[in-house]
Structure formats: C-alpha cells, structure tokens
C-alpha cells in the first residue's frame, strides 16, 4: 500500500508535483490555496478560476505569490502552467480543459 505522504514527498523530490486547479476564490478557495501552498509538499496550485480576477489574485497574494498572470484562453493558461507560474482566469471551465492540471 502506498502512503499518500510518501508519494507526495517523492513527487516533491523529483519536481513532479500534482498541479491543482481551484475553482472559486471565496473563503474555502482561499483556504484551500493557503493549505496546499503552505502544507502540501508535492502539490502546486497551478491555476485559480474565479468570476472576478481580483478575488483570485488575492488568493495567490495571501499565499505569498507575486508574479501572477491572467489567462484569457486555454493556450495562455497551459503555457503559464508549463512555466510553473501562477495563473488566474475568469473562465473556470478552462481549468477542466487544461492538459497540465
């Protein structure tokens, strides 16, 4: 049986994190972002989708990120994720279509 902590530690060690897309930047979305960033080695918040980009940006800012990009289409979103950079979008459905989340 594989222990989740062991698997996540291995993903962190090999620089192959699980890329997470968060839909919504309300109380729970911000808390989830903070939890993953601060306490889940082996996972990365790759993108946040929210109706208002400022709320999504605030989630990343609260988690300590500064270079936050905005994606209007799938190509921009995937490129930014591939570069390992935080990205936000108003179109949350892009997160479900992104090949790299």
């Amino acid at each position: 049986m594989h222990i989740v902590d062991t698997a996540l530690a291995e993903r962190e060690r090999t620089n192959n994190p699980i890329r997470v897309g968060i839909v919504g930047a309300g109380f729970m979305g911000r808390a989830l972002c903070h939890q993953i960033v601060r306490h889940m080695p082996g996972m990365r918040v790759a993108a946040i989708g929210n109706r208002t980009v400022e709320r999504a940006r605030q989630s990343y800012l609260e988690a300590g990120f500064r270079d936050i990009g905005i994606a209007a289409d799938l190509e921009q979103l995937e490129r930014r994720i591939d570069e390992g950079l935080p990205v936000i979008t108003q179109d949350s459905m892009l997160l479900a279509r992104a090949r790299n989340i």
Side-chain angles (χ1 to χ4, degrees):
M1 184 167 93
H2 225 352
I3 306 294
V4 172
D5 290 349
T6 304
L8 287 174
E10 177 65 15
R11 291 187 79 112
E12 183 71 19
R13 188 185 69 73
T14 60
N15 195 30
N16 183 27
I18 295 171
R19 295 176 180 152
V20 177
I22 298 175
V23 176
F27 177 79
M28 291 300 294
R30 288 191 328 270
L32 180 60
C33 180
H34 185 269
Q35 183 72 16
I36 291 170
V37 170
R38 301 280 187 219
H39 305 291
M40 300 296 298
M43 294 178 75
R44 299 287 183 278
V45 177
I48 300 174
N50 196 65
R51 285 178 295 152
T52 57
V53 293
E54 281 311 309
R55 282 287 288 248
R57 183 187 319 279
Q58 190 61 36
S59 293
Y60 268 131
L61 290 172
E62 290 173 6
F65 290 90
R66 295 295 174 256
D67 181 21
I68 305 159
I70 299 175
D73 60 40
L74 187 59
E75 182 181 330
Q76 291 173 337
L77 181 76
E78 289 178 337
R79 182 175 47 248
R80 186 103 180 156
I81 293 169
D82 281 342
E83 293 169 355
L85 300 170
V87 60
I88 56 180
T89 184
Q90 281 185 301
D91 185 355
S92 296
M93 290 306 294
L94 292 179
L95 303 182
R97 294 176 32 219
R99 66 170 165 68
N100 49 2
I101 291 181

